[in-house]
Amino acid sequence: MYEPNVVGDWQEYDEHAGLRVRVHRLESGEPPRGRDDAAQGLTYFRVRVTVENRGERNVGIHLEDGQVDVRIGPDGESAFLDWRNSQFIEGFDVYPLRRATAVLYAAGPEASLSHVDVQVQLRVDEEWTGRRLWSGGIDVHEGPAVNPSGGVREGLAHQIGVFLQEQAEEGTA
C-alpha cells in the first residue's frame, strides 16, 4: 500500500541516485508582493519544496508551475496558487551536496487548511520523475501532543496511516 509522506519527510528517487526532495515549512504567511485580487477572503499560506543532490554528478532541475498541485480540506479541493508571488526552480543545476528550494504561495478558506496535500513531479535532466505526495496542515503539530483532558492525541502521520489502512481494508472486503 502506498502511503503519502508527511510534510517534512525526505523522499528519494530510485531512478536518480542521490536525488531527494521534501515539502516542508507549511505555514501561514502573506505573499511578499501583496495579495492577488482573486484570493479575496482566503487565508494565504506558503510551502517550501527543497531538492537536494547527494549524488556524484550535477543534475538539472525544473520545478515550475503545473508541476506542483496543492489540495486542501477533507474533499481535496484545489487551493488558489499565487504564481506571481511564488518562486520556482527553472533549469537550475544542483551540484553534489547542494540544494535548491522553491517557495510557493497558496490560499484557501481557513477552515480547510488543517488538511493540505502537496503533490510534486520534478523534471530532472529533461526526464520526468514519478509524482510524490506529502500531507500536512497549517498549525497542525506532527508529534504526539497532550490534549486538555490529559490524554495523548495521535500525531498526524499516524492518523493518515490509520485512515489509509482502513481504506485499503474496506477495498479488499
Side-chain angles (χ1 to χ4, degrees):
M1 174 181 66
Y2 175 77
E3 291 187 28
N5 299 294
V6 174
V7 169
D9 287 349
W10 285 100
Q11 174 67 53
E12 297 192 22
Y13 289 100
D14 295 333
E15 62 270 24
H16 298 283
L19 187 67
R20 65 186 196 161
V21 65
R22 76 175 172 163
V23 171
H24 60 109
R25 300 225 13 218
L26 180 60
E27 58 196 0
S28 297
E30 289 294 316
R33 290 188 285 270
R35 298 175 63 89
D36 190 298
D37 292 341
Q40 186 174 9
L42 301 177
T43 301
Y44 263 95
F45 62 96
R46 70 179 157 257
V47 60
R48 294 177 185 269
V49 180
T50 298
V51 179
E52 181 179 63
N53 184 0
R54 301 179 101 194
E56 297 177 2
R57 65 176 189 84
N58 64 312
V59 293
I61 300 295
H62 299 273
L63 183 59
E64 303 166 339
D65 57 347
Q67 293 175 249
V68 178
D69 190 14
V70 181
R71 301 285 168 161
I72 56 175
D75 294 329
E77 294 181 16
S78 183
F80 170 78
L81 293 176
D82 189 335
W83 301 115
R84 183 176 58 99
N85 281 296
S86 296
Q87 302 163 354
F88 298 97
I89 303 170
E90 299 177 25
F92 189 78
D93 288 334
V94 181
Y95 284 84
L97 303 178
R98 303 296 291 172
R99 295 178 176 174
T101 300
V103 180
L104 284 86
Y105 285 87
E110 189 170 358
S112 298
L113 299 183
S114 64
H115 186 110
V116 178
D117 292 328
V118 180
Q119 183 172 274
V120 176
Q121 183 176 22
L122 288 177
R123 195 169 59 164
V124 180
D125 292 331
E126 304 305 323
E127 181 182 316
W128 293 98
T129 63
R131 290 185 177 103
R132 301 292 192 261
L133 178 69
W134 282 263
S135 290
I138 306 297
D139 298 328
V140 175
H141 301 286
E142 298 301 330
V146 177
N147 64 25
S149 64
V152 175
R153 186 184 81 213
E154 297 173 325
L156 179 62
H158 181 73
Q159 292 174 17
I160 292 169
V162 169
F163 172 76
L164 292 172
Q165 189 74 17
E166 289 171 356
Q167 295 297 314
E169 289 171 1
E170 288 177 12
T172 59

